[in-house]
Amino acid sequence: MLHDLETTPTTTPAPVPALSTGGSFLEALARRDFTAMACCLSPTVRFRALLPPRDVDVVGCEATMAEFRRWFANEAEAFEILDATVGELGPRLYLRWRVRMTPLDPGEGGSRIVEQHAFATGGAQLDSLSLLCSGFQPA
């Protein structure tokens, strides 16, 4: 018995896996390329962070990137990613990174290390990012 089967080719591109977006975000962080990091975020991203001195709860890519610049944009310090991880936990993207920052002028003190863990949602762009920070610790 013959059956007529009508098929329609799929022209919708496959969704970008969040792992790719997370990897791009971390690669941009490693370069301190805040513009590329921002491209990984939705314009309306909700960013929440638990930091030792304060909590952050902002909406928007610009406000989110202002926080990252506050932490990592100091050009008077060398910046090194010591370790980073991208993974998934159910529908959430998991990101973790450990950074060492060292003053370029040795008279300005010693190195500091910070580790941050984040859970995110989204695809080609992250819609939400929730972060837990160790605070900067002497290295």
Side-chain angles (χ1 to χ4, degrees), residues 34-99:
F34 300 106
T35 301
M37 287 174 69
C39 290
C40 297
L41 303 176
S42 160
T44 58
V45 64
R46 179 163 186 207
F47 178 58
R48 295 180 295 170
L50 182 58
L51 313 172
R54 65 189 174 90
D55 296 343
V56 174
D57 191 348
V58 297
V59 173
C61 185
E62 287 183 34
T64 300
M65 293 316 304
E67 293 296 327
F68 279 91
R69 283 185 181 93
R70 178 179 298 148
W71 304 329
F72 301 128
N74 186 351
E75 294 293 327
E77 292 182 304
F79 179 88
E80 178 185 11
I81 298 280
L82 300 174
D83 192 24
T85 302
V86 178
E88 289 180 312
L89 183 61
R92 292 190 176 266
L93 176 67
Y94 171 68
L95 303 166
R96 182 189 61 77
W97 54 90
R98 185 178 306 133
V99 171

Side-chain angles (χ1 to χ4, degrees), residues 4-17:
D4 288 332
L5 184 61
E6 194 172 309
T7 60
T8 305
T10 304
T11 58
T12 306
V16 174

Side-chain angles (χ1 to χ4, degrees), residues 120-139:
T121 60
Q125 291 186 312
L126 303 179
D127 301 318
S128 71
L129 186 63
S130 299
L131 182 140
L132 175 64
C133 181
S134 68
F136 285 95
Q137 306 298 320

